[in-house]
Amino acid sequence: MPPEERITFCRICEAHCGLVATVDRGRVERLRPDREHPLSRGYACPKGIAMTEVQNAPDRLLHPMRGGERVGWDEAIAGVGARLREVRDRHGGDAIGWYMGNPGASSYSHTLWSKGFVDALGSPHYYTAGSQDVNNRFAASALMYGSPLRVPIPDLERTSFLLMVGANPFVSNGSVLSAPRVRDRLRAIVARGGRVVVVDPRRTETARAFEHVPIRPDTDAWFLLSLLHVVGRDSPLGPLVEAFSPETTAERTGVPAEGCRALARDLAAASPAAVYGRTGSCLGRFGTLVAFLLDALAAVTGNLDRPGGNVFAQPPVDIERVARPFGLASYGRRRSRVGGFPDVLGQMPAGVMADEIEEPGRGQLRALIVSAGNPLLSVPDPGRLRAAFGKLDLLVSIDLFVNETGREADYVLPATTWLEREDVPLAFLQFFVRPFVQWSDAVVEPAGEAREEWQVIEALAGELGVVPASVPPIRWLRRLGIRLTPQRALALLMRTGPARLTMDRLRRHPHGLELGEHWKTGTLRRESIRLAPPEIVAEIQRLGREPPPDDRLRLIGLRELRRHNSWMNDVPALARGARPASLRIHPSDAAERAISDGDVVSVQTATGELDVVAAVSEEMTPGTVALPHGFAGANANALTAAGPAALEPLAGMSQLNGLAVEVRATASP
């Protein structure tokens, strides 16, 4: 039988580029970019192409494991179920929790079923990678627009001025913005006479291609307030920004006052302009305030809900309407037991997981299921979290591999890859650069005994006698013998959504379906915008009380094109062209510490210490060092504090950028 070609799309990052899989006798032999995909048009990054090596990896987990020994699925489910029942009987359903890693967001069934599982148990313990990534963005939307899921995106295809803060889409391909071929889209802005300005402590790959404004780490809030001081003094923010003139903030941010004023005037005069911030702007001490100020800047310059500005999508599925009954459209509906942090989209901050395990009392976390994640690498202070995991009555990992977390788990259960499941990018439909949707059938059958996460959840829920659903009507239907599978649920959502799509129509367009050239604007009621809610006023006041920084170096993270978070470090096709983890440091900072390129250096904070090779580079601004995230050997999170006192208050975000560090040479290579 000759090899077949099957159309699908990538689910490694948010661009969702189109792919064509070559399948021979049930095995994926090759992935190549899909030239007929309307948005990516024959582009895919190295990670997408290398997914074949993840799919066919010799060390991939293909059978359930208990204590390092292979067991059957029936035995594994029965064993986990019995342990969960024991925890529930002794401590209550609110002693059972779930942690979902970033890849889970790319599976509509995984997200809905995992949240439904903890809701059915009456547990608030739902954690994701969002508090190390983007939850501040949703918190800011809740405070400004009244809904965490009303998130504006930059209209790249019509803007004439793009201001990016802490974003490096040349490497990330964009985030909270699904923009395949993002390099071409950014260059097109300049080609039509516009400008792209990148504000970042590092001269990133994106910054090298456009205008770069160097800034000191974790000073984005001061910088944005100084822009608003220039252009927003007549807005409701006027009294709040009065004390943040560019002259006042220049010493802290490192951005000269006149350059700041000129940038503010140019942004206000551009017709139209868009603003955009990502991970670099999210992970400081004032992440929610920064996200809020980005939108405020768009609003006061007249660029919010405007063609070429920051626009609001109307996707083919009403995401807010879907998410609300599942508790995935909430902000502050619940508070964490430890620290009193507001939930964001139903999620609690992962930075208090260790405290929730160690703090006695009602609701103490006693059992945890981890899916598509590796919190012992990706959550702050992993050493403390590892010790806390040892106190759990049960730890379960559902994943493709036995990772650091899996090695500590009582059970490790094999999951499917995204090539082995059907999907639609449900959570990202509102972030596509233009109206678009794509359906993919599974490319191949699951390898070994791998199962989709929702199937595992269904089995565990059966052991506990609950229906994994946040919505009571779904539970009622189950009692009547009507079982709602993910595909049936999706078909209902599509048919009742604004575009009235059917699954048959989606399948007739395997390369994806464009639903319009641009997002419609003029959909936001101006009176619904709150530019000075009390929570933001309090944060600006807290910012104003911040003491001046000391002269220690500040650490930031960075993303690399050939690596992805914590799960693609060992892919041979990527590792061959990737640099080893290294601490990038400016020549002047290196000389001051007698550090040469290639030296082994010690990086230390109050939380931890690690050794890593130094890379002396002009890409860094003086006073700033950078370390890639996601590496087991040089894990920047080992330097980062966890616990209530260490988290940003409005979204429970971990501080992963702007850490004060001591760096010293320890040895030559």
Side-chain angles (χ1 to χ4, degrees):
M1 184 175 179
E4 295 180 66
E5 290 196 334
R6 298 174 184 173
I7 309 302
T8 187
F9 58 89
C10 185
R11 275 146 280 176
I12 292 175
C13 82
E14 296 179 40
H16 294 93
C17 298
L19 294 172
V20 178
T22 301
V23 179
D24 189 5
R25 288 167 291 187
R27 175 185 166 94
V28 179
E29 296 292 347
R30 180 184 176 223
L31 288 166
R32 63 175 175 82
D34 179 10
R35 294 180 179 177
E36 297 182 56
H37 190 277
L39 300 184
S40 60
R41 304 191 312 274
Y43 171 81
C45 82
K47 294 186 288 290
I49 302 303
M51 186 63 193
T52 51
E53 295 194 13
V54 176
Q55 173 73 26
N56 303 320
D59 59 341
R60 186 178 159 194
L61 179 68
L62 297 177
H63 312 283
M65 306 287 287
R66 180 185 62 201
E69 300 293 330
R70 177 176 171 178
V71 296
W73 268 110
D74 289 346
E75 186 177 352
I77 293 296
V80 173
R83 300 275 289 274
L84 290 174
R85 285 195 301 274
E86 182 179 349
V87 169
R88 184 179 62 178
D89 292 345
R90 291 181 60 190
H91 306 288
D94 56 358
I96 299 170
W98 198 287
Y99 177 94
M100 184 183 74
N102 259 348
S106 294
S107 165
Y108 74 99
S109 57
H110 187 167
T111 304
L112 297 180
W113 260 249
S114 60
K115 183 61 166 57
F117 182 79
V118 294
D119 283 351
L121 293 171
S123 174
H125 291 298
Y126 188 62
Y127 306 95
T128 76
S131 51
Q132 295 90 253
D133 186 355
V134 71
N135 279 358
N136 65 305
R137 171 59 268 180
F138 302 113
S141 284
L143 294 170
M144 182 174 281
Y145 312 114
S147 168
L149 291 176
R150 206 159 294 157
V151 179
I153 60 172
D155 188 356
L156 299 185
E157 298 187 343
R158 292 183 286 182
T159 195
S160 62
F161 191 114
L162 177 64
L163 176 67
M164 290 196 290
V165 180
N168 187 14
F170 270 33
V171 169
S172 69
N173 290 317
S175 179
V176 196
L177 174 66
S178 296
R181 300 194 75 97
V182 69
R183 294 184 180 214
D184 294 346
R185 298 179 193 279
L186 295 180
R187 287 181 174 131
I189 297 172
V190 177
R192 58 180 179 259
R195 294 171 62 190
V196 175
V197 179
V198 182
V199 181
D200 203 285
R202 183 170 76 92
R203 193 164 176 262
T204 64
E205 291 80 354
T206 308
R208 293 169 211 163
F210 303 107
E211 301 175 46
H212 179 214
V213 176
I215 189 172
R216 294 197 176 107
D218 198 21
T219 64
D220 301 321
W222 280 272
F223 171 70
L224 293 169
L225 285 165
S226 66
L227 295 180
L228 284 161
H229 176 93
V230 178
V231 300
R233 298 178 76 176
D234 295 330
S235 74
L237 284 168
L240 298 172
V241 302
E242 186 63 34
F244 295 91
S245 69
E247 289 74 19
T248 303
T249 62
E251 185 176 355
R252 191 181 289 267
T253 66
V255 180
E258 189 48 47
C260 182
R261 285 187 177 276
L263 181 62
R265 290 192 293 265
D266 290 349
L267 178 69
S271 183
V275 294
Y276 174 62
R278 255 318 272 127
T279 311
S281 69
C282 295
L283 298 173
R285 291 162 298 157
F286 294 88
T288 302
L289 175 60
V290 169
F292 188 96
L293 294 175
L294 286 165
D295 281 18
L297 192 58
V300 302
T301 57
N303 287 299
L304 193 63
D305 195 25
R306 174 190 180 187
N310 289 72
V311 298
F312 296 85
Q314 307 86 43
V317 172
D318 187 335
I319 302 298
E320 192 172 353
R321 179 182 169 196
V322 172
R324 192 180 300 113
F326 284 90
L328 292 168
S330 63
Y331 175 68
R333 188 180 67 173
R334 284 175 166 170
R335 294 271 169 176
S336 62
R337 189 177 68 105
V338 175
F341 293 98
D343 82 282
V344 182
L345 305 184
Q347 306 160 25
M348 295 302 178
V352 296
M353 275 201 301
D355 300 87
E356 293 283 9
I357 294 169
E358 294 170 344
E359 181 73 26
R362 177 71 192 186
Q364 180 181 7
L365 185 58
R366 306 301 295 258
L368 181 67
I369 301 172
V370 177
S371 59
N374 190 6
L376 288 185
L377 203 57
S378 58
V379 170
D381 200 351
R384 184 183 170 211
L385 186 61
R386 184 185 300 273
F389 276 0
K391 301 173 185 178
L392 287 168
D393 295 334
L394 176 67
L395 177 63
V396 178
S397 172
I398 307 172
D399 215 291
L400 306 178
F401 299 94
V402 181
N403 56 29
E404 286 79 5
T405 301
R407 285 194 281 274
E408 304 294 319
D410 300 287
Y411 289 84
V412 188
L413 307 178
T416 57
T417 70
W418 45 263
L419 289 164
E420 297 166 346
R421 68 168 188 258
E422 64 190 35
D423 234 329
V424 68
L426 183 65
F428 304 95
L429 294 177
Q430 63 179 330
F431 302 132
F432 273 99
V433 71
R434 60 171 63 177
F436 179 80
V437 64
Q438 185 172 8
W439 166 266
S440 174
D441 287 307
V443 172
V444 289
E445 292 294 317
E449 298 179 35
R451 292 185 181 179
E452 293 186 50
E453 289 88 354
W454 78 270
Q455 295 171 322
V456 178
I457 294 165
E458 283 276 352
L460 293 178
E463 290 288 317
L464 293 170
V466 299
V467 177
S470 306
V471 187
I474 295 179
R475 300 177 198 163
W476 302 336
L477 288 173
R478 184 68 62 87
R479 295 190 189 105
L480 296 174
I482 302 172
R483 184 167 175 262
L484 195 65
T485 64
Q487 191 173 139
R488 289 176 70 179
L490 179 67
L492 180 63
L493 295 175
M494 287 289 179
R495 184 175 284 278
T496 58
R500 300 290 191 268
L501 294 174
T502 65
M503 298 302 295
D504 285 343
R505 186 180 178 195
L506 290 181
R507 285 196 169 97
R508 288 198 302 270
H509 295 83
H511 303 280
L513 180 62
E514 282 192 282
L515 300 169
E517 187 177 0
H518 301 294
W519 293 112
K520 186 171 70 171
T521 55
T523 63
L524 185 69
R525 290 186 298 110
R526 301 293 166 180
E527 63 272 17
S528 69
I529 303 174
R530 299 193 302 164
L531 285 178
E535 297 89 345
I536 292 299
V537 173
E539 278 295 88
I540 294 175
Q541 292 169 345
R542 182 170 76 93
L543 184 80
R545 296 191 298 268
E546 280 282 291
D550 56 37
D551 59 359
R552 285 178 293 177
L553 296 171
R554 290 305 195 267
L555 175 69
I556 63 172
L558 66 95
R559 187 184 294 278
E560 294 189 312
L561 183 63
R562 303 184 72 84
R563 300 189 186 278
H564 188 74
N565 295 345
S566 63
W567 69 283
M568 294 194 80
N569 288 331
D570 301 319
V571 178
L574 298 176
R576 283 192 291 270
R579 294 180 287 190
S582 60
L583 183 81
R584 302 185 196 181
I585 183 169
H586 189 270
S588 64
D589 294 321
E592 183 180 333
R593 293 160 178 78
I595 294 170
S596 299
D597 190 69
D599 282 354
V600 176
V601 298
S602 169
V603 187
Q604 187 174 11
T605 65
T607 301
E609 182 177 4
L610 58 82
D611 290 343
V612 65
V613 173
V616 180
S617 173
E618 293 277 0
E619 74 188 59
M620 302 308 303
T621 52
T624 305
V625 292
L627 185 65
H629 68 277
F631 284 88
N635 183 8
N637 285 356
L639 306 171
T640 305
L647 304 185
E648 181 265 356
L650 294 183
M653 298 291 292
S654 302
Q655 185 192 352
L656 301 175
N657 274 333
L659 295 175
V661 296
E662 300 283 356
V663 178
R664 58 183 176 83
T666 61
S668 296

